[in-house]
Amino acid sequence: MKSPKNSRKTPIAATGMTRRALLAAGAAGLFAAAGAAPADAPLRRRAAARGMVYGACAGSYQLRDGEYAAALADEANALVPEYELKRSIVEPRPGVLDFSGADALVDFAGEHGMLMRGHTLVWYASNPPWLEQAALKAKDERIFTDYIAQVVGRYRGRIRSWDVVNEAILTSDGRADGLRDNFWLRRFGPGYIDTAFDAASRADPSAQLVYNDWGCEGSEPWNDDFRRATLRLLEGMRKRGVPMHAYGMQAHFRAFRKPVFPDAKKLRSFLAEVKDLGLRLMVSELDVDDAGGPSDDGRRDAIVADITARFLDPVMQSGICDAVLTWGLTDRYLRGKIIPTDLWAYLPRKLPLDARLRRKPMWHAIAKALG
Ligand code: XIL
């Protein structure tokens, strides 16, 4: 589908999608962005003092937990649904759209002056069971462009930043372009990515449109492959004038089992190239999996915090980071994901607040990075 001329020719600034506009929308109603934050200031305050936002993903069911909802409102000025804007939840049956969960989260964000993010419009995962076959048999891209128009259109002006395409790269699939061999690619070719962004831009020309993925954070050779493929994708999109404004770096780390540690030197170089492309950065899903760690909470927490700090240092130095979101605010809701180890099962401790909403060393590492 040919995109209308204007969506390809509109430079980012002309869309009104300037960093200040995005952050003003997200931090609106909060304290003045100027001025340093006091020592025990919440993360949202520290972020706003730098013209940024801090937030977390949440499930709408969690908002029924009053003390959690209060902690979220206190710490965050950005919010993203963990589930409620995935197509498996929004469109369980063809053409039957359910926004009840997303509406609850968008309303909460609006009530608390938070930047609301949408996650995610086109992904190979978290789709309803009918979608893959429908896409493979579809006669054109409307199977996803119509969906994007409906979803982005519904939240126009309220969801200010979208993960339009999620995880389109997987270099181990062996393609020269490093793209993941998913059903979208098989039916529509690599152009499905540009088409999705064009559709999102038409539905809300003022929204920040983000390409979200993992794989560029670490020090392994496969991370080098991911960084090369990611930069190739981003550069191509910029050259074609695709309305894509930021790279979403998921930032899922592992501290002990099959460790994934940040490589500061390679991150600095990668983020400098992202900056040279005129793109912004969203840290979109930060967490540090502590499965397989020592039995002592304090030791696990210290290592999780150290990895967090080693990642955020080059991120903040890049000068292009508008947002840091963790993939959850508290360990409380990880309870159902007890990870058995060879010694014993324990509750994961991968997020800034513990299950009793107390600030952990990871919280302090984020607070220090935000200043
Ligand atoms: C995950 C959720 O956290 C899980 O609870 C769910 O079962 C699957 O999706 N990258 C993403 C997120 O973009 O949407 C994923 O979230 C984690 C990996």
Side-chain angles (χ1 to χ4, degrees), residues 82-83 86 119 123 126 166-167 212 214 250 252 285 327 337:
E82 183 170 7
Y83 310 97
K86 290 173 179 173
H119 174 81
W123 193 18
S126 294
N166 196 36
E167 302 184 0
N212 192 55
W214 52 271
Q250 290 186 6
H252 293 295
E285 305 182 12
W327 202 239
K337 301 175 186 171

Side-chain angles (χ1 to χ4, degrees), residues 127-347:
N127 289 308
W130 59 268
L131 184 64
E132 180 165 348
Q133 285 313 311
L136 292 171
K137 288 186 295 205
K139 58 182 186 308
D140 59 36
E141 291 91 343
R142 281 178 297 177
I143 184 80
F144 63 93
T145 57
D146 282 356
Y147 174 77
I148 290 170
Q150 288 176 285
V151 178
V152 175
R154 177 188 179 86
Y155 296 109
R156 183 176 176 138
R158 289 191 293 160
I159 293 185
R160 307 285 289 127
S161 175
W162 278 99
D163 290 338
V164 177
V165 173
N166 196 36
E167 302 184 0
I169 286 171
L170 187 65
T171 51
S172 57
D173 273 353
R175 287 176 53 97
D177 57 14
L179 291 181
R180 181 186 295 267
D181 180 22
N182 63 37
F183 65 86
W184 297 116
L185 184 88
R186 267 176 262 135
R187 171 62 188 81
F188 299 108
Y192 82 93
I193 299 170
D194 291 11
T195 304
F197 277 86
D198 285 335
S201 180
R202 283 195 300 277
D204 187 348
S206 72
Q208 178 196 52
L209 304 181
V210 179
Y211 171 72
N212 192 55
D213 209 334
W214 52 271
C216 293
E217 303 90 349
S219 52
E220 299 298 317
W222 70 268
N223 297 115
D224 296 331
D225 298 339
F226 253 82
R227 283 184 280 267
R228 269 192 293 276
T230 302
L231 288 170
R232 172 196 174 119
L233 172 66
L234 298 177
E235 185 176 13
M237 292 175 79
R238 295 291 286 154
K239 281 186 175 159
R240 295 188 296 274
V242 175
M244 179 270 301
H245 310 118
Y247 174 62
M249 180 174 266
Q250 290 186 6
H252 293 295
F253 295 102
R254 286 194 295 269
F256 305 104
R257 191 172 287 164
K258 291 193 290 181
V260 174
F261 292 136
D263 184 312
K265 184 168 178 288
K266 291 182 175 180
L267 266 172
R268 264 194 292 277
S269 153
F270 171 76
L271 293 174
E273 296 205 55
V274 173
K275 182 176 184 178
D276 288 348
L277 291 173
L279 294 171
R280 305 299 295 177
L281 174 72
M282 308 287 279
V283 173
S284 54
E285 305 182 12
L286 175 60
D287 58 17
V288 183
D289 185 344
D290 61 336
S295 57
D296 174 69
D297 284 359
R299 284 183 56 207
R300 286 213 304 272
D301 289 352
I303 292 168
V304 165
D306 177 55
I307 289 171
T308 301
R310 285 159 54 189
F311 167 67
L312 289 178
D313 183 47
V315 162
M316 297 307 289
Q317 282 180 14
S318 71
I320 59 171
C321 185
D322 289 337
V324 174
L325 286 90
T326 48
W327 202 239
L329 176 64
T330 165
D331 300 329
R332 173 172 293 189
Y333 297 104
L334 300 177
R335 187 155 291 159
K337 301 175 186 171
I338 286 183
I339 300 159
T341 70
D342 39 8
L343 296 174
W344 34 273
Y346 65 86
L347 301 182

